[in-house]
Amino acid sequence: MSKVIAVCNQKGGVGKTVTTVNLGIGLAKKGRRVLLIDMDAQGSLTASLGYQQPDQMEETVSTILGKIIQDVPLTPGEGILHHAEGVDLLPANIELSGLEVTLVNTMSRETVLREYLKTVRNQYDVILLDCCPSLGMLTINALAAADEVLIPMQAHYLSIKGLEQLIHTIGKVKRQINPRLEISGILITMADMRTAYSRDIVQMLRQAYGDKLRIFDTIIPLSIRAAETSAEGRSIYLHDPNGRVSEAYIALTREVSA
């Protein structure tokens, strides 16, 4: 059975999608069978892997989950795309926002994604869920289906303030829906460690949470190179193989694999 990791933070712009892409492809380079699932109606993960017109796609995560809700049988591999860098992708587009409304009136609404994953888990070693920047029903579905949560967060004061709410939500899902759910760690992203501000925030985070949660040793540095990869449709390993961000994601992949 595969390990399912939700890459989750209700705050936007913290590097969830970049982390999902580069951790996923990093694991694939180590020989793991990896599926990436875009759980954001903005389709950022889908676009970041080179599918620049997600709203024109006919088969996406919303159509697949819609079939699960309606008890319509799925064909093997339905909706899954194969990326050149060795990962598979279940894409998303704006239709996912409509599905979130549908979920509100669905029986067992929190576990629709979990039901889908039962059909594909034996085909992969790792499944990464790129969550949307909210704590709505789509994110609850991701947390209900996951074994672990990886929390990317910027080295900013407001990111630490928002972390408490996210941890509370994860705890609630663990108690009520998914008792096996654990936090695999906090990943500090987009950090400029040359500044005293970033160093102070990292120290504050380690003091506040270091004895309760794992904080990955790897820190993803602030770099325009990471942002450029989304437009390129490929990973940092191809875009800037010798850069600091590439080295950081290789180190993160080692930590997650350990």
Side-chain angles (χ1 to χ4, degrees):
M1 290 286 280
S2 57
K3 179 188 287 186
V4 180
I5 304 172
V7 182
C8 183
N9 191 329
Q10 79 274 23
K11 197 171 187 310
V14 298
K16 290 188 292 293
T17 298
V18 171
T19 295
T20 303
V21 168
N22 293 300
L23 175 58
I25 291 174
L27 290 167
K29 286 159 71 75
K30 283 179 161 287
R32 307 288 176 85
R33 299 169 301 163
V34 179
L35 172 64
L36 310 181
I37 299 183
D38 195 342
M39 291 299 292
D40 187 353
Q42 296 173 87
S44 299
L45 175 63
T46 303
S48 294
L49 287 170
Y51 303 96
Q52 296 294 342
Q53 302 293 332
D55 291 345
Q56 295 177 12
M57 289 181 162
E58 292 185 6
E59 286 193 333
T60 63
V61 67
S62 58
T63 57
I64 297 297
L65 296 184
K67 288 185 176 184
I68 296 291
I69 292 168
Q70 295 164 16
D71 280 332
V72 176
L74 298 173
T75 58
E78 186 172 346
I80 292 176
L81 305 171
H82 307 290
H83 190 265
E85 291 186 71
V87 295
D88 285 355
L89 168 70
L90 184 57
N93 60 19
I94 195 65
E95 290 178 7
L96 193 56
S97 58
L99 183 86
E100 185 158 31
V101 175
T102 302
L103 282 170
V104 172
N105 297 313
T106 300
M107 187 180 294
S108 303
R109 59 187 180 178
E110 298 93 350
T111 57
V112 175
L113 178 62
R114 183 197 291 176
E115 289 304 306
Y116 167 68
L117 291 185
K118 286 178 183 176
T119 70
V120 296
R121 281 191 77 148
N122 63 349
Q123 300 163 40
Y124 297 98
D125 300 310
V126 181
I127 298 174
L128 293 176
L129 311 174
D130 185 28
C131 297
C132 56
S134 78
L135 293 177
M137 192 49 61
L138 291 172
T139 298
I140 298 301
N141 261 264
L143 295 176
D147 302 306
E148 300 178 1
V149 188
L150 189 154
I151 305 173
M153 59 171 288
Q154 280 182 285
H156 285 181
Y157 175 71
L158 289 177
S159 293
I160 294 181
K161 296 293 285 182
L163 186 60
E164 196 64 44
Q165 184 184 10
L166 177 58
I167 291 171
H168 174 74
T169 300
I170 292 168
K172 198 169 181 181
V173 171
K174 181 180 173 71
R175 287 191 305 275
Q176 298 181 8
I177 307 170
N178 182 6
R180 72 179 184 277
L181 184 64
E182 301 291 345
I183 296 174
S184 61
I186 296 170
L187 173 68
I188 298 163
T189 62
M190 301 159 73
D192 186 351
M193 297 305 286
R194 297 170 300 179
T195 66
Y197 176 73
S198 285
R199 293 194 298 270
D200 288 348
I201 293 295
V202 171
Q203 184 179 8
M204 187 187 306
L205 181 68
R206 293 192 188 279
Q207 286 174 347
Y209 292 100
D211 59 340
K212 307 182 194 113
L213 299 172
R214 178 185 186 185
I215 299 171
F216 289 108
D217 294 331
T218 302
I219 294 176
I220 308 300
L222 180 66
S223 170
I224 192 63
R225 293 291 189 196
E228 288 170 353
T229 59
S230 298
E232 293 279 336
R234 56 185 187 167
S235 72
I236 194 70
Y237 311 115
L238 287 182
H239 182 66
D240 188 25
N242 300 313
R244 294 179 305 132
V245 178
S246 182
E247 289 177 3
Y249 276 112
I250 289 169
L252 174 67
T253 302
R254 280 197 299 266
E255 283 196 77
V256 171
S257 300

